Amino acid sequence: METLALVGRTLGFSLAAGVNLYATVALIGLASRFGWVSLPPGYQPFGSLWVIGIASTLYCVEFVADKVPWVDTLWDAVHTFVRPIGGAALAVAALGDASPTMKILAALLGGAVATSSHITKAGTRVVANTSPEPFSNLILSLVEDGFVVALGLLALKYPLAALVVSLIVLAAIAVLAGMLVSAFRRRFGGRASAVTLP
């Protein structure tokens, strides 16, 4: 059960980090600092006031940037490498004192999971930005914020439940990836064909 809980916490935090790294780090930091739950020793540095303060400040910046069409896409582009690295770091921190091999495997898992959620978020935003109505970005951003906080709290308090939710979300991401590819082709493929026509 402890191993499953560890995997659930790792997947939950990494998945959330791919959507919003700073909110995830701030949440873990607050939980570590105020002892909301018993966390592995690897998460203790997150309880530093410096870590909490910087993560919270960057989350506030992201909260605003994420609501503005095309600014959100630029922000996502900047974080294409930041979020996966953050997801990998969170996965390694979950292990605590482990062998180098296990840390490498955890980093690969966390990075891959964070990358999948980041690409899904970024791709969804690009499609939403082409929509003529102005509210889709705001709604998507608020849903993402709620998802990150909810999944983070679930991973903290009920890691086994976070494992189930994470696996379901990852399966949904795989399905959504195909839908996003089709949406990209419809929105941008037609424009490219129109430009090349004599």
Side-chain angles (χ1 to χ4, degrees), residues 66-79:
D66 212 39
K67 308 290 185 295
V68 182
W70 296 115
V71 174
D72 61 341
T73 297
L74 177 61
W75 185 267
D76 285 337
V78 171
H79 286 78

Side-chain angles (χ1 to χ4, degrees), residues 20-24 26 51-68 71 75 79 141 145:
N20 193 315
L21 175 63
Y22 306 122
T24 306
V51 173
I52 296 171
I54 291 173
S56 299
T57 300
L58 289 171
Y59 169 65
C60 290
V61 174
E62 179 160 348
F63 183 85
V64 175
D66 212 39
K67 308 290 185 295
V68 182
V71 174
W75 185 267
H79 286 78
S141 182
D145 290 338

Side-chain angles (χ1 to χ4, degrees), residues 32-106:
S32 176
R33 178 137 192 117
F34 296 106
W36 294 348
V37 293
S38 178
L39 290 171
Y43 285 128
Q44 287 182 358
F46 290 85
S48 163
L49 287 177
W50 280 102
V51 173
I52 296 171
I54 291 173
S56 299
T57 300
L58 289 171
Y59 169 65
C60 290
V61 174
E62 179 160 348
F63 183 85
V64 175
D66 212 39
K67 308 290 185 295
V68 182
W70 296 115
V71 174
D72 61 341
T73 297
L74 177 61
W75 185 267
D76 285 337
V78 171
H79 286 78
T80 296
F81 299 103
V82 177
R83 289 172 183 155
I85 292 172
L90 291 176
V92 172
L95 290 180
D97 187 17
S99 69
T101 301
M102 287 302 298
K103 289 183 178 180
I104 291 172
L105 292 174

Side-chain angles (χ1 to χ4, degrees), residues 59-174:
Y59 169 65
C60 290
V61 174
E62 179 160 348
F63 183 85
V64 175
D66 212 39
K67 308 290 185 295
V68 182
W70 296 115
V71 174
D72 61 341
T73 297
L74 177 61
W75 185 267
D76 285 337
V78 171
H79 286 78
T80 296
F81 299 103
V82 177
R83 289 172 183 155
I85 292 172
L90 291 176
V92 172
L95 290 180
D97 187 17
S99 69
T101 301
M102 287 302 298
K103 289 183 178 180
I104 291 172
L105 292 174
L108 291 173
L109 174 64
V113 170
T115 299
S116 68
S117 57
H118 166 73
I119 290 175
T120 303
K121 172 188 175 174
T124 303
R125 288 308 188 85
V126 171
V127 173
N129 282 333
T130 63
S131 174
E133 51 80 26
F135 301 111
S136 55
N137 267 56
L138 176 62
I139 294 170
L140 280 172
S141 182
L142 291 174
V143 169
E144 290 162 1
D145 290 338
F147 169 77
V148 169
V149 172
L151 184 58
L153 290 173
L154 198 65
L156 285 170
K157 297 287 288 183
Y158 307 104
L160 292 179
L163 173 60
V164 174
V165 171
S166 297
L167 291 175
I168 292 172
V169 171
L170 287 171
I173 285 175

